[in-house]
Amino acid sequence: MKVLSSTMSYFRERQTPLVLSFHIAVLLMVISQIIFSNFMGFTRAGEVASQLPERVGTWLHIGTGLLLVPVSLIFLFAVIKQRGLKYYFPYLVGDLEPLKADIQTLLKFKLPAPGPAGLAAVMHGLGLGALLLVVLSGFTWFLCWNFQPSWAYQVKEVHGLLTGLIEAYLVGHAAMGILHIYLRYRAPSL
């Protein structure tokens, strides 16, 4: 229980209640999407499979995905409003010094502290971009599935490919978050 309270304390220090709520919601929804995607099934005609696990998995994935569109967009706007575009995307304005400093710190086998325009912030920005790409490609595929243009299959493949980005980000982001929290709250004798 101490681990959970330490984790939530760490999050509350760095995020407003609104951003924290959306962060948790997006996390749970993305994890559920990954799980549901394993139970999706379609017929050759592109209709949802009639078998129970595939039918339920497909509709849960579609429903959660459609809900994830506005939730992700609100999350994106909330974090940008909280810290600004430059915080997450400093390279867009040519501010690379904090990122360079963090990389130099890493090369000394030390973990840089999270800060504006630094490595952690840039990684968060890349995660936001990956989330946006996956959500928008999934929504585009949903529209294509309904209207059935000739290129619907390619959109589905792109969505699947982009999903790999968010899965990799989820693992890396969680690992780095756990490491940061551990290093912050570890006992001084360790």
Side-chain angles (χ1 to χ4, degrees), residues 76 80 84-99 116-118 121-126 128-129 132:
L76 177 69
I80 297 298
L85 199 60
K86 183 181 172 187
Y87 184 94
Y88 298 103
F89 307 99
Y91 46 85
L92 295 177
V93 294
D95 183 13
L96 299 175
E97 293 309 312
L99 185 58
V122 168
M123 293 308 294
H124 281 115
L126 292 175
L128 293 170
L132 191 61

Side-chain angles (χ1 to χ4, degrees), residues 154-172:
Q154 286 81 5
V155 173
K156 179 183 175 191
E157 291 297 307
V158 167
H159 175 60
L161 179 69
L162 292 173
T163 299
L165 292 175
I166 205 74
E167 290 172 349
Y169 180 78
L170 183 65
V171 171

Side-chain angles (χ1 to χ4, degrees), residues 4 18 22-23 30 55 67-69 78 85 93 113 118 132 136 141 146 159 161 163 166-168 180 190:
L4 184 59
L18 176 70
F22 276 98
H23 195 161
V30 166
R55 179 175 281 293
L67 184 58
L68 194 53
V69 173
L85 199 60
V93 294
L132 191 61
L136 293 179
W141 175 77
N146 279 289
H159 175 60
L161 179 69
T163 299
I166 205 74
E167 290 172 349
H180 271 286
L190 291 178

Side-chain angles (χ1 to χ4, degrees), residues 32-42 49 51-59 61:
S32 71
Q33 285 295 81
I34 293 167
I35 293 168
F36 296 152
S37 70
N38 292 306
F39 297 97
M40 293 180 69
F42 293 92
Q51 296 83 7
L52 187 62
E54 289 86 2
R55 179 175 281 293
V56 171
T58 301
W59 285 113
H61 186 81

